[in-house]
Amino acid sequence: MGGFPILSALTFLPLVGALIIMAVRAATAGSSSSENANEGRTALLAGLVITGATFLVSLAAFFYYDPSTPGYQLVEQHVWYQSISYKLGVDGLSLPLILLTTFLTPICLLASWNSIHTRVTEYVVAFLVLETFMIGVFTALDLVLFYIFFEAGLIPMFLIIGIWGGKDKIYAAFKFFLYTLLGSLLMLVAVVYMYITAGSSDFEVLEKFAFDPHVQTWLWLAFIASFAVKLPMWPVHTWLPDAHVQAPTAGSVILAGVLLKMGGYGFLRFSLPMFPDASHLFQPAMFALAVAAIVYTSLVAWRQTDMKKLIAYSSVAHMGFVTLGVFSFTEVGVQGAIFQMISHGFISAALFLIVGVVYDRMHTREIAAYGGLVHRMPVYATLFMLFTMANVGLPGTSGFIGEILTMVGGFQASTWAAAGAALGVIFSAVYMLTLYRRTVFGQITNPELNDIKDMNRIELVTIVPLALLTLLFGVAPNLIFNLTEGAAKSILSMMAGG
Protein backbone atom coordinates (compact mmCIF):
# COMPACT_ATOMS: atom_id res chain seq x y z
CA MET A 1 0.00 0.00 0.00
CA GLY A 2 2.88 2.33 -0.68
CA GLY A 3 3.90 2.37 2.98
CA PHE A 4 0.52 3.45 4.33
CA PRO A 5 0.12 1.97 7.86
CA ILE A 6 -3.21 0.34 7.19
CA LEU A 7 -3.14 -1.89 10.29
CA SER A 8 -2.36 1.02 12.59
CA ALA A 9 -5.24 2.95 11.02
CA LEU A 10 -7.49 -0.08 11.41
CA THR A 11 -6.50 -0.67 15.02
CA PHE A 12 -6.67 2.88 16.33
CA LEU A 13 -9.45 4.43 14.25
CA PRO A 14 -12.12 3.48 16.84
CA LEU A 15 -9.97 4.87 19.67
CA VAL A 16 -9.46 8.15 17.80
CA GLY A 17 -13.20 8.28 17.20
CA ALA A 18 -13.84 7.75 20.91
CA LEU A 19 -11.49 10.61 21.77
CA ILE A 20 -13.26 12.90 19.29
CA ILE A 21 -16.67 12.04 20.76
CA MET A 22 -15.36 12.75 24.27
CA ALA A 23 -13.82 16.04 23.15
CA VAL A 24 -17.08 17.16 21.54
CA ARG A 25 -18.94 16.09 24.67
CA ALA A 26 -16.60 18.17 26.85
CA ALA A 27 -16.91 21.20 24.55
CA THR A 28 -20.72 21.12 24.75
CA ALA A 29 -20.96 20.26 28.43
CA GLY A 30 -22.53 23.59 29.22
CA SER A 31 -25.53 23.11 26.95
CA SER A 32 -29.06 22.57 28.21
CA SER A 33 -29.87 19.23 29.82
CA SER A 34 -32.85 18.95 27.45
CA GLU A 35 -30.34 18.07 24.75
CA ASN A 36 -29.29 14.86 26.52
CA ALA A 37 -31.51 12.57 24.46
CA ASN A 38 -30.37 14.13 21.20
CA GLU A 39 -26.78 13.96 22.42
CA GLY A 40 -27.12 10.21 22.94
CA ARG A 41 -28.58 9.72 19.46
CA THR A 42 -25.78 11.79 17.99
CA ALA A 43 -23.17 9.74 19.84
CA LEU A 44 -24.72 6.50 18.57
CA LEU A 45 -24.80 7.84 15.04
CA ALA A 46 -21.16 8.95 15.31
CA GLY A 47 -20.27 5.51 16.67
CA LEU A 48 -21.97 3.85 13.71
CA VAL A 49 -20.04 6.06 11.28
CA ILE A 50 -16.73 5.34 13.00
CA THR A 51 -17.26 1.58 13.27
CA GLY A 52 -18.56 1.50 9.70
CA ALA A 53 -15.40 3.26 8.53
CA THR A 54 -13.33 0.78 10.53
CA PHE A 55 -15.09 -2.09 8.75
CA LEU A 56 -14.26 -0.51 5.40
CA VAL A 57 -10.60 -0.23 6.40
CA SER A 58 -10.61 -3.91 7.38
CA LEU A 59 -12.02 -4.74 3.94
CA ALA A 60 -9.15 -2.78 2.40
CA ALA A 61 -6.71 -4.89 4.43
CA PHE A 62 -8.51 -8.00 3.19
CA PHE A 63 -8.18 -6.95 -0.44
CA TYR A 64 -4.47 -6.20 -0.05
CA TYR A 65 -3.84 -9.54 1.68
CA ASP A 66 -2.53 -12.34 -0.56
CA PRO A 67 -3.66 -15.78 0.73
CA SER A 68 -1.16 -17.56 -1.53
CA THR A 69 1.79 -15.92 0.24
CA PRO A 70 2.78 -17.62 3.53
CA GLY A 71 3.69 -15.70 6.65
CA TYR A 72 2.61 -12.34 8.03
CA GLN A 73 1.64 -9.52 5.68
CA LEU A 74 1.03 -5.76 5.90
CA VAL A 75 3.70 -5.73 8.61
CA GLU A 76 4.49 -2.51 10.47
CA GLN A 77 7.34 -2.37 12.96
CA HIS A 78 8.85 0.34 15.14
CA VAL A 79 11.23 -0.36 18.02
CA TRP A 80 9.91 0.65 21.42
CA TYR A 81 12.63 -0.45 23.80
CA GLN A 82 15.57 -2.70 22.91
CA SER A 83 13.96 -5.81 21.34
CA ILE A 84 10.37 -4.89 22.28
CA SER A 85 8.63 -3.50 19.20
CA TYR A 86 5.39 -1.98 18.10
CA LYS A 87 4.83 -4.64 15.46
CA LEU A 88 1.58 -5.34 13.63
CA GLY A 89 0.74 -7.84 10.92
CA VAL A 90 -1.92 -10.28 9.77
CA ASP A 91 -2.13 -13.80 8.42
CA GLY A 92 -4.88 -16.24 7.52
CA LEU A 93 -5.66 -16.84 11.19
CA SER A 94 -5.97 -13.26 12.38
CA LEU A 95 -7.54 -11.57 9.33
CA PRO A 96 -10.89 -13.46 9.47
CA LEU A 97 -11.20 -12.64 13.17
CA ILE A 98 -10.47 -8.98 12.48
CA LEU A 99 -13.20 -8.92 9.82
CA LEU A 100 -15.58 -10.60 12.29
CA THR A 101 -14.77 -7.95 14.91
CA THR A 102 -15.25 -4.97 12.61
CA PHE A 103 -18.45 -6.47 11.21
CA LEU A 104 -20.09 -7.15 14.58
CA THR A 105 -19.22 -3.88 16.34
CA PRO A 106 -21.48 -1.58 14.26
CA ILE A 107 -24.22 -4.21 14.59
CA CYS A 108 -23.84 -3.96 18.36
CA LEU A 109 -24.26 -0.17 18.31
CA LEU A 110 -27.24 -0.37 15.97
CA ALA A 111 -28.84 -3.01 18.21
CA SER A 112 -28.48 -0.54 21.10
CA TRP A 113 -30.43 2.20 19.31
CA ASN A 114 -33.67 1.65 21.22
CA SER A 115 -32.42 -0.28 24.24
CA ILE A 116 -29.75 1.96 25.81
CA HIS A 117 -31.14 5.17 27.34
CA THR A 118 -28.65 6.20 30.02
CA ARG A 119 -25.10 7.47 29.57
CA VAL A 120 -25.35 6.70 25.87
CA THR A 121 -22.25 8.69 24.95
CA GLU A 122 -20.13 6.81 27.48
CA TYR A 123 -21.63 3.55 26.20
CA VAL A 124 -20.54 4.34 22.63
CA VAL A 125 -17.07 5.35 23.81
CA ALA A 126 -16.73 2.06 25.73
CA PHE A 127 -17.56 0.05 22.60
CA LEU A 128 -15.15 2.04 20.45
CA VAL A 129 -12.30 1.60 22.92
CA LEU A 130 -13.15 -2.11 23.19
CA GLU A 131 -13.01 -2.44 19.40
CA THR A 132 -9.49 -1.00 19.31
CA PHE A 133 -8.31 -3.48 21.93
CA MET A 134 -9.98 -6.43 20.19
CA ILE A 135 -8.45 -5.58 16.84
CA GLY A 136 -5.10 -5.02 18.55
CA VAL A 137 -5.14 -8.55 19.93
CA PHE A 138 -5.40 -9.94 16.41
CA THR A 139 -2.92 -7.55 14.75
CA ALA A 140 -0.16 -7.57 17.39
CA LEU A 141 3.01 -9.45 16.43
CA ASP A 142 4.91 -8.61 19.60
CA LEU A 143 4.22 -10.56 22.77
CA VAL A 144 4.31 -7.51 25.06
CA LEU A 145 2.02 -5.55 22.73
CA PHE A 146 -0.33 -8.53 22.52
CA TYR A 147 -0.52 -8.77 26.29
CA ILE A 148 -1.33 -5.06 26.61
CA PHE A 149 -4.21 -5.32 24.16
CA PHE A 150 -5.37 -8.65 25.61
CA GLU A 151 -5.64 -7.30 29.14
CA ALA A 152 -6.83 -3.79 28.28
CA GLY A 153 -9.96 -5.24 26.68
CA LEU A 154 -11.15 -6.29 30.14
CA ILE A 155 -11.74 -2.69 31.18
CA PRO A 156 -14.38 -1.53 28.65
CA MET A 157 -16.15 -4.91 28.83
CA PHE A 158 -16.19 -4.66 32.63
CA LEU A 159 -17.82 -1.23 32.31
CA ILE A 160 -20.34 -2.37 29.70
CA ILE A 161 -21.55 -5.15 32.01
CA GLY A 162 -21.23 -3.19 35.25
CA ILE A 163 -22.96 0.03 34.12
CA TRP A 164 -25.51 -1.03 31.52
CA GLY A 165 -26.21 -4.57 32.71
CA GLY A 166 -29.07 -6.14 34.68
CA LYS A 167 -29.92 -6.15 38.35
CA ASP A 168 -26.91 -8.29 39.37
CA LYS A 169 -24.54 -6.48 37.01
CA ILE A 170 -21.90 -5.61 39.63
CA TYR A 171 -21.51 -9.22 40.71
CA ALA A 172 -21.30 -10.43 37.11
CA ALA A 173 -18.84 -7.70 36.09
CA PHE A 174 -16.45 -8.42 38.95
CA LYS A 175 -16.69 -12.16 38.39
CA PHE A 176 -15.85 -11.67 34.71
CA PHE A 177 -12.97 -9.34 35.54
CA LEU A 178 -11.41 -11.45 38.30
CA TYR A 179 -11.64 -14.77 36.44
CA THR A 180 -10.01 -13.40 33.31
CA LEU A 181 -7.45 -11.25 35.13
CA LEU A 182 -6.23 -13.99 37.48
CA GLY A 183 -5.69 -16.37 34.57
CA SER A 184 -3.74 -13.73 32.69
CA LEU A 185 -1.37 -13.00 35.57
CA LEU A 186 0.22 -16.41 35.07
CA MET A 187 0.57 -15.63 31.38
CA LEU A 188 2.39 -12.41 32.29
CA VAL A 189 4.99 -14.41 34.21
CA ALA A 190 5.46 -16.62 31.13
CA VAL A 191 5.74 -13.56 28.86
CA VAL A 192 8.55 -12.14 31.01
CA TYR A 193 10.39 -15.47 31.05
CA MET A 194 10.08 -15.90 27.27
CA TYR A 195 11.40 -12.40 26.64
CA ILE A 196 14.40 -12.92 28.91
CA THR A 197 15.17 -16.38 27.55
CA ALA A 198 14.69 -15.72 23.83
CA GLY A 199 15.98 -12.15 23.98
CA SER A 200 12.97 -10.95 22.00
CA SER A 201 9.20 -10.61 22.22
CA ASP A 202 8.75 -10.81 18.45
CA PHE A 203 6.31 -13.56 17.41
CA GLU A 204 8.46 -14.59 14.45
CA VAL A 205 11.50 -15.00 16.70
CA LEU A 206 9.59 -16.88 19.39
CA GLU A 207 8.01 -19.25 16.87
CA LYS A 208 11.49 -20.36 15.82
CA PHE A 209 13.00 -20.43 19.30
CA ALA A 210 13.30 -23.93 20.78
CA PHE A 211 12.32 -23.71 24.43
CA ASP A 212 13.47 -26.54 26.65
CA PRO A 213 10.77 -29.28 26.69
CA HIS A 214 10.54 -29.22 30.50
CA VAL A 215 10.20 -25.44 30.52
CA GLN A 216 7.59 -25.68 27.73
CA THR A 217 5.31 -27.53 30.11
CA TRP A 218 5.22 -24.65 32.56
CA LEU A 219 4.95 -22.01 29.85
CA TRP A 220 2.12 -23.94 28.22
CA LEU A 221 0.25 -24.18 31.53
CA ALA A 222 0.72 -20.47 32.18
CA PHE A 223 -0.72 -19.53 28.80
CA ILE A 224 -3.53 -22.07 29.01
CA ALA A 225 -4.59 -20.61 32.35
CA SER A 226 -5.52 -17.43 30.50
CA PHE A 227 -6.85 -18.89 27.26
CA ALA A 228 -8.95 -21.57 28.98
CA VAL A 229 -10.79 -18.90 30.99
CA LYS A 230 -11.25 -16.68 27.95
CA LEU A 231 -12.59 -19.45 25.67
CA PRO A 232 -14.01 -20.56 28.22
CA MET A 233 -13.28 -24.22 28.94
CA TRP A 234 -14.91 -26.41 31.54
CA PRO A 235 -14.58 -26.08 34.54
CA VAL A 236 -13.51 -22.39 34.45
CA HIS A 237 -16.58 -21.38 32.46
CA THR A 238 -18.90 -20.32 35.27
CA TRP A 239 -18.28 -16.59 34.79
CA LEU A 240 -19.75 -16.69 31.27
CA PRO A 241 -23.46 -17.42 31.99
CA ASP A 242 -23.56 -14.70 34.66
CA ALA A 243 -21.84 -12.21 32.35
CA HIS A 244 -24.20 -12.97 29.48
CA VAL A 245 -27.36 -12.80 31.56
CA GLN A 246 -26.45 -9.46 33.12
CA ALA A 247 -24.84 -7.81 30.08
CA PRO A 248 -26.95 -5.68 27.73
CA THR A 249 -27.80 -7.40 24.45
CA ALA A 250 -24.94 -5.78 22.54
CA GLY A 251 -22.54 -6.75 25.33
CA SER A 252 -23.56 -10.39 24.98
CA VAL A 253 -23.17 -10.16 21.20
CA ILE A 254 -19.60 -8.88 21.33
CA LEU A 255 -18.69 -11.18 24.22
CA ALA A 256 -19.84 -14.34 22.43
CA GLY A 257 -19.00 -13.15 18.94
CA VAL A 258 -15.43 -11.94 19.48
CA LEU A 259 -14.03 -12.03 23.02
CA LEU A 260 -14.44 -15.80 23.44
CA LYS A 261 -12.51 -16.33 20.21
CA MET A 262 -9.39 -14.87 21.79
CA GLY A 263 -8.96 -18.13 23.69
CA GLY A 264 -9.00 -20.23 20.52
CA TYR A 265 -6.78 -17.69 18.79
CA GLY A 266 -4.30 -17.98 21.67
CA PHE A 267 -4.18 -21.77 21.34
CA LEU A 268 -3.33 -21.49 17.66
CA ARG A 269 -0.98 -18.51 17.91
CA PHE A 270 0.99 -19.57 20.98
CA SER A 271 0.28 -23.02 22.45
CA LEU A 272 0.82 -25.08 19.31
CA PRO A 273 3.68 -23.35 17.45
CA MET A 274 5.68 -22.11 20.45
CA PHE A 275 5.19 -25.07 22.83
CA PRO A 276 4.77 -28.11 20.56
CA ASP A 277 6.19 -30.68 23.01
CA ALA A 278 3.89 -29.55 25.80
CA SER A 279 0.92 -29.44 23.41
CA HIS A 280 1.49 -33.09 22.50
CA LEU A 281 1.91 -33.96 26.18
CA PHE A 282 -1.40 -32.38 27.18
CA GLN A 283 -3.40 -33.48 24.12
CA PRO A 284 -5.35 -36.23 25.97
CA ALA A 285 -6.22 -33.83 28.78
CA MET A 286 -7.43 -31.19 26.33
CA PHE A 287 -9.58 -33.79 24.56
CA ALA A 288 -11.10 -34.78 27.89
CA LEU A 289 -11.84 -31.15 28.79
CA ALA A 290 -13.29 -30.49 25.33
CA VAL A 291 -15.66 -33.45 25.54
CA ALA A 292 -16.63 -32.49 29.11
CA ALA A 293 -17.46 -28.99 27.91
CA ILE A 294 -19.49 -30.25 24.96
CA VAL A 295 -21.50 -32.86 26.86
CA TYR A 296 -21.82 -31.37 30.34
CA THR A 297 -22.72 -27.82 29.33
CA SER A 298 -25.17 -29.14 26.73
CA LEU A 299 -27.00 -31.01 29.49
CA VAL A 300 -26.91 -27.91 31.70
CA ALA A 301 -28.26 -25.79 28.84
CA TRP A 302 -31.18 -28.20 28.45
CA ARG A 303 -32.34 -27.46 32.02
CA GLN A 304 -32.20 -23.66 31.81
CA THR A 305 -35.30 -21.51 32.16
CA ASP A 306 -33.61 -18.28 31.02
CA MET A 307 -33.09 -17.96 27.26
CA LYS A 308 -29.85 -16.01 27.56
CA LYS A 309 -28.35 -18.45 30.02
CA LEU A 310 -29.25 -21.34 27.74
CA ILE A 311 -27.44 -19.74 24.81
CA ALA A 312 -24.48 -18.92 27.07
CA TYR A 313 -24.05 -22.57 28.01
CA SER A 314 -24.48 -23.44 24.36
CA SER A 315 -21.51 -21.17 23.58
CA VAL A 316 -19.33 -23.10 26.02
CA ALA A 317 -20.31 -26.34 24.30
CA HIS A 318 -19.54 -24.97 20.83
CA MET A 319 -16.18 -23.66 21.96
CA GLY A 320 -15.46 -27.22 23.02
CA PHE A 321 -15.49 -28.13 19.33
CA VAL A 322 -12.84 -25.46 18.77
CA THR A 323 -10.62 -27.07 21.41
CA LEU A 324 -11.18 -30.49 19.87
CA GLY A 325 -10.19 -29.28 16.41
CA VAL A 326 -7.15 -27.32 17.58
CA PHE A 327 -5.64 -30.19 19.55
CA SER A 328 -6.31 -32.79 16.88
CA PHE A 329 -3.08 -31.47 15.29
CA THR A 330 -4.55 -32.16 11.85
CA GLU A 331 -5.07 -29.69 9.05
CA VAL A 332 -8.77 -30.51 8.74
CA GLY A 333 -9.21 -30.10 12.51
CA VAL A 334 -7.38 -26.77 12.69
CA GLN A 335 -9.24 -25.49 9.63
CA GLY A 336 -12.49 -26.61 11.23
CA ALA A 337 -11.61 -24.88 14.51
CA ILE A 338 -10.94 -21.56 12.77
CA PHE A 339 -14.13 -21.94 10.74
CA GLN A 340 -16.08 -22.81 13.88
CA MET A 341 -14.88 -19.62 15.58
CA ILE A 342 -16.06 -17.49 12.67
CA SER A 343 -19.34 -19.35 12.27
CA HIS A 344 -20.11 -19.27 15.98
CA GLY A 345 -19.41 -15.53 15.92
CA PHE A 346 -22.30 -15.05 13.51
CA ILE A 347 -24.71 -17.60 15.00
CA SER A 348 -24.25 -16.78 18.69
CA ALA A 349 -24.42 -13.05 17.97
CA ALA A 350 -27.69 -13.56 16.11
CA LEU A 351 -29.18 -15.71 18.87
CA PHE A 352 -28.46 -13.07 21.51
CA LEU A 353 -30.00 -10.44 19.22
CA ILE A 354 -33.03 -12.72 18.80
CA VAL A 355 -33.43 -12.89 22.57
CA GLY A 356 -32.96 -9.13 22.80
CA VAL A 357 -35.85 -8.55 20.40
CA VAL A 358 -38.45 -10.12 22.69
CA TYR A 359 -36.76 -8.89 25.87
CA ASP A 360 -37.11 -5.28 24.72
CA ARG A 361 -40.85 -5.88 24.34
CA MET A 362 -41.59 -8.10 27.35
CA HIS A 363 -38.69 -7.33 29.73
CA THR A 364 -38.28 -10.98 30.62
CA ARG A 365 -36.09 -13.78 29.31
CA GLU A 366 -37.99 -16.57 31.04
CA ILE A 367 -38.91 -19.25 28.51
CA ALA A 368 -42.18 -19.90 30.34
CA ALA A 369 -43.35 -16.33 29.62
CA TYR A 370 -43.51 -17.07 25.88
CA GLY A 371 -45.21 -19.50 23.55
CA GLY A 372 -47.11 -19.05 20.31
CA LEU A 373 -44.88 -16.24 19.01
CA VAL A 374 -45.31 -17.52 15.46
CA HIS A 375 -48.89 -16.20 15.50
CA ARG A 376 -47.79 -12.62 16.20
CA MET A 377 -44.18 -12.54 14.93
CA PRO A 378 -43.84 -14.68 11.77
CA VAL A 379 -40.69 -12.91 10.54
CA TYR A 380 -39.11 -13.31 13.95
CA ALA A 381 -40.09 -16.98 14.05
CA THR A 382 -38.51 -17.57 10.63
CA LEU A 383 -35.17 -16.00 11.54
CA PHE A 384 -35.19 -17.71 14.93
CA MET A 385 -35.74 -21.03 13.14
CA LEU A 386 -32.76 -20.41 10.84
CA PHE A 387 -30.35 -19.71 13.68
CA THR A 388 -31.74 -22.57 15.75
CA MET A 389 -30.96 -24.93 12.88
CA ALA A 390 -27.53 -23.37 12.38
CA ASN A 391 -26.74 -23.78 16.07
CA VAL A 392 -27.50 -27.50 15.93
CA GLY A 393 -25.35 -27.91 12.83
CA LEU A 394 -27.92 -28.37 10.07
CA PRO A 395 -26.25 -29.03 6.67
CA GLY A 396 -26.47 -25.94 4.50
CA THR A 397 -25.57 -23.63 7.38
CA SER A 398 -22.12 -22.59 8.55
CA GLY A 399 -22.70 -24.36 11.86
CA PHE A 400 -22.52 -27.74 10.13
CA ILE A 401 -19.16 -27.07 8.47
CA GLY A 402 -17.31 -26.15 11.64
CA GLU A 403 -18.69 -29.02 13.71
CA ILE A 404 -18.17 -31.75 11.12
CA LEU A 405 -14.59 -30.72 10.36
CA THR A 406 -13.56 -30.49 14.01
CA MET A 407 -15.05 -33.95 14.60
CA VAL A 408 -13.27 -35.36 11.54
CA GLY A 409 -10.00 -33.95 12.82
CA GLY A 410 -10.76 -35.22 16.30
CA PHE A 411 -11.58 -38.68 14.94
CA GLN A 412 -8.20 -38.87 13.22
CA ALA A 413 -6.53 -38.24 16.57
CA SER A 414 -8.91 -39.91 19.04
CA THR A 415 -11.98 -42.03 18.32
CA TRP A 416 -13.41 -41.62 21.82
CA ALA A 417 -13.09 -37.83 21.73
CA ALA A 418 -14.93 -37.64 18.41
CA ALA A 419 -17.64 -39.96 19.76
CA GLY A 420 -18.12 -37.73 22.80
CA ALA A 421 -18.35 -34.66 20.61
CA ALA A 422 -20.97 -36.38 18.43
CA LEU A 423 -23.03 -37.04 21.55
CA GLY A 424 -22.90 -33.31 22.23
CA VAL A 425 -24.34 -32.61 18.78
CA ILE A 426 -27.38 -34.70 19.69
CA PHE A 427 -27.81 -32.86 22.97
CA SER A 428 -27.55 -29.48 21.25
CA ALA A 429 -30.44 -30.45 19.00
CA VAL A 430 -32.48 -31.37 22.08
CA TYR A 431 -32.05 -28.12 23.96
CA MET A 432 -32.29 -25.78 20.97
CA LEU A 433 -35.37 -27.44 19.49
CA THR A 434 -36.96 -27.52 22.93
CA LEU A 435 -36.30 -23.79 23.31
CA TYR A 436 -37.77 -23.07 19.89
CA ARG A 437 -40.86 -25.22 20.45
CA ARG A 438 -41.64 -23.67 23.83
CA THR A 439 -41.24 -20.05 22.71
CA VAL A 440 -42.50 -20.06 19.13
CA PHE A 441 -44.99 -22.89 18.64
CA GLY A 442 -48.22 -23.66 20.46
CA GLN A 443 -50.97 -21.30 21.50
CA ILE A 444 -50.54 -17.95 23.17
CA THR A 445 -51.21 -18.43 26.88
CA ASN A 446 -49.69 -15.18 28.14
CA PRO A 447 -52.20 -12.34 27.50
CA GLU A 448 -49.34 -9.84 27.24
CA LEU A 449 -48.24 -11.50 24.00
CA ASN A 450 -51.51 -10.69 22.22
CA ASP A 451 -50.27 -7.24 21.21
CA ILE A 452 -46.59 -8.00 20.68
CA LYS A 453 -45.17 -6.54 17.47
CA ASP A 454 -42.99 -8.28 14.90
CA MET A 455 -39.42 -7.17 14.18
CA ASN A 456 -38.87 -3.56 13.17
CA ARG A 457 -36.49 -2.26 10.52
CA ILE A 458 -33.55 -1.68 12.85
CA GLU A 459 -33.82 -5.21 14.21
CA LEU A 460 -33.98 -6.65 10.71
CA VAL A 461 -30.94 -4.65 9.62
CA THR A 462 -28.93 -6.09 12.52
CA ILE A 463 -29.98 -9.74 12.08
CA VAL A 464 -30.56 -10.31 8.34
CA PRO A 465 -26.86 -9.80 7.40
CA LEU A 466 -25.94 -12.47 9.94
CA ALA A 467 -28.53 -14.80 8.42
CA LEU A 468 -27.17 -14.26 4.92
CA LEU A 469 -23.59 -14.92 6.00
CA THR A 470 -24.63 -18.04 7.92
CA LEU A 471 -26.18 -19.42 4.75
CA LEU A 472 -23.41 -18.17 2.44
CA PHE A 473 -20.60 -19.82 4.40
CA GLY A 474 -22.73 -22.93 4.82
CA VAL A 475 -22.83 -23.51 1.06
CA ALA A 476 -19.53 -21.85 0.12
CA PRO A 477 -17.09 -22.58 2.99
CA ASN A 478 -14.10 -22.15 0.67
CA LEU A 479 -14.58 -18.40 1.01
CA ILE A 480 -13.07 -18.86 4.47
CA PHE A 481 -10.89 -21.90 3.82
CA ASN A 482 -9.01 -20.16 1.01
CA LEU A 483 -8.06 -17.50 3.53
CA THR A 484 -7.16 -19.78 6.44
CA GLU A 485 -5.48 -22.72 4.70
CA GLY A 486 -2.00 -21.20 4.66
CA ALA A 487 -2.14 -20.30 8.34
CA ALA A 488 -3.32 -23.81 9.33
CA LYS A 489 -0.46 -25.42 7.39
CA SER A 490 2.05 -22.97 8.84
CA ILE A 491 0.96 -23.68 12.44
CA LEU A 492 1.23 -27.44 11.96
CA SER A 493 4.57 -27.04 10.20
CA MET A 494 5.96 -25.10 13.16
CA MET A 495 4.68 -27.82 15.49
CA ALA A 496 6.59 -30.39 13.46
CA GLY A 497 9.72 -28.25 13.59
CA GLY A 498 9.61 -27.45 9.90
Side-chain angles (χ1 to χ4, degrees):
M1 287 199 65
F4 179 75
I6 186 171
L7 293 185
S8 291
L10 171 63
T11 303
F12 292 103
L13 178 58
L15 181 60
V16 171
L19 293 174
I20 292 173
I21 291 175
M22 292 172 64
V24 172
R25 168 73 176 271
T28 59
S31 62
S32 171
S33 60
S34 63
E35 299 295 319
N36 285 341
N38 289 333
E39 177 186 302
R41 292 291 188 185
T42 302
L44 273 171
L45 185 59
L48 286 170
V49 171
I50 294 164
T51 55
T54 305
F55 177 61
L56 293 178
V57 176
S58 70
L59 288 179
F62 168 74
F63 286 120
Y64 277 96
Y65 179 81
D66 182 5
S68 64
T69 303
Y72 300 110
Q73 300 181 36
L74 306 177
V75 175
E76 305 169 23
Q77 185 170 13
H78 306 282
V79 176
W80 269 356
Y81 174 74
Q82 295 183 356
S83 55
I84 299 176
S85 299
Y86 169 81
K87 185 176 182 181
L88 305 180
V90 294
D91 64 356
L93 169 61
S94 57
L95 187 55
L97 293 169
I98 292 170
L99 291 168
L100 176 67
T101 302
T102 59
F103 179 76
L104 287 181
T105 307
I107 287 179
C108 288
L109 292 181
L110 187 60
S112 307
W113 192 264
N114 293 319
S115 59
I116 300 297
H117 306 289
T118 59
R119 298 184 178 180
V120 180
T121 302
E122 291 88 343
Y123 178 84
V124 173
V125 167
F127 259 97
L128 291 174
V129 173
L130 177 61
E131 184 176 21
T132 280
F133 295 149
M134 292 187 298
I135 296 172
V137 166
F138 301 129
T139 57
L141 293 185
D142 183 275
L143 193 54
V144 174
L145 183 63
F146 168 85
Y147 186 83
I148 292 172
F149 281 128
F150 191 82
E151 288 304 290
L154 296 179
I155 300 171
M157 193 66 220
F158 171 81
L159 296 176
I160 289 169
I161 297 172
I163 297 176
W164 295 279
K167 62 179 181 179
D168 294 324
K169 57 189 178 184
I170 302 300
Y171 167 79
F174 274 98
K175 189 173 184 180
F176 158 77
F177 189 87
L178 292 175
Y179 262 70
T180 50
L181 178 63
L182 290 174
S184 297
L185 290 177
L186 293 174
M187 185 171 73
L188 177 60
V189 176
V191 167
V192 173
Y193 177 88
M194 292 170 68
Y195 171 71
I196 294 173
T197 304
S200 175
S201 54
D202 190 310
F203 281 12
E204 294 182 285
V205 174
L206 295 172
E207 288 168 350
K208 298 174 183 176
F209 189 87
F211 291 98
D212 181 270
H214 298 293
V215 175
Q216 278 191 37
T217 300
W218 295 106
L219 295 175
W220 189 94
L221 289 171
F223 272 82
I224 212 71
S226 179
F227 299 146
V229 172
K230 187 76 77 172
L231 193 61
M233 294 177 63
W234 181 89
V236 289
H237 66 285
T238 57
W239 64 269
L240 183 66
D242 291 322
H244 271 310
V245 168
Q246 298 305 320
T249 297
S252 293
V253 168
I254 209 67
L255 180 60
V258 180
L259 290 176
L260 301 190
K261 311 307 181 289
M262 292 180 184
Y265 175 79
F267 289 157
L268 291 167
R269 183 64 79 210
F270 300 97
S271 302
L272 268 61
M274 296 184 188
F275 319 122
D277 295 323
S279 294
H280 281 289
L281 176 65
F282 288 104
Q283 183 190 47
M286 296 303 288
F287 278 162
L289 292 174
V291 172
I294 293 169
V295 175
Y296 171 76
T297 55
S298 293
L299 292 173
V300 174
W302 184 27
R303 305 307 302 164
Q304 297 307 307
T305 60
D306 184 296
M307 288 190 284
K308 242 190 177 186
K309 188 168 282 192
L310 184 150
I311 297 169
Y313 279 110
S314 173
S315 291
V316 179
H318 283 85
M319 289 298 97
F321 284 99
V322 173
T323 306
L324 178 69
V326 168
F327 286 91
S328 70
F329 306 145
T330 63
E331 185 179 339
V332 65
V334 171
Q335 283 266 60
I338 300 173
F339 192 99
Q340 175 75 348
M341 287 194 285
I342 303 302
S343 170
H344 181 265
F346 296 136
I347 297 169
S348 64
L351 286 172
F352 281 114
L353 290 171
I354 286 286
V355 173
V357 168
V358 291
Y359 179 78
D360 288 343
R361 290 158 171 74
M362 299 291 293
H363 304 293
T364 179
R365 292 182 296 267
E366 288 297 314
I367 299 173
Y370 298 94
L373 288 177
V374 68
H375 302 295
R376 295 289 181 268
M377 306 175 72
V379 175
Y380 175 86
T382 302
L383 289 169
F384 194 177
M385 169 72 80
L386 169 63
F387 291 111
T388 297
M389 295 296 102
N391 203 50
V392 305
L394 182 73
T397 66
S398 62
F400 171 76
I401 305 297
E403 288 187 3
I404 193 66
L405 291 184
T406 54
M407 285 193 291
V408 168
F411 183 81
Q412 293 178 10
S414 171
T415 305
W416 70 264
L423 188 63
V425 173
I426 297 172
F427 292 153
S428 71
V430 172
Y431 66 72
M432 284 305 301
L433 293 177
T434 299
L435 169 66
Y436 189 82
R437 176 184 60 83
R438 294 182 61 188
T439 56
V440 176
F441 290 145
Q443 298 300 316
I444 295 177
T445 57
N446 183 351
E448 296 181 21
L449 295 176
N450 287 324
D451 298 322
I452 196 169
K453 303 296 183 183
D454 209 343
M455 299 176 70
N456 58 42
R457 285 179 293 180
I458 291 179
E459 291 163 345
L460 288 172
V461 169
T462 61
I463 295 178
V464 168
L466 296 170
L468 295 176
L469 289 173
T470 299
L471 293 172
L472 174 63
F473 293 132
V475 297
N478 279 339
L479 293 173
I480 293 179
F481 291 145
N482 291 339
L483 191 60
T484 61
E485 181 180 7
K489 289 181 177 179
S490 177
I491 290 167
L492 295 174
S493 175
M494 284 185 281
M495 278 201 73

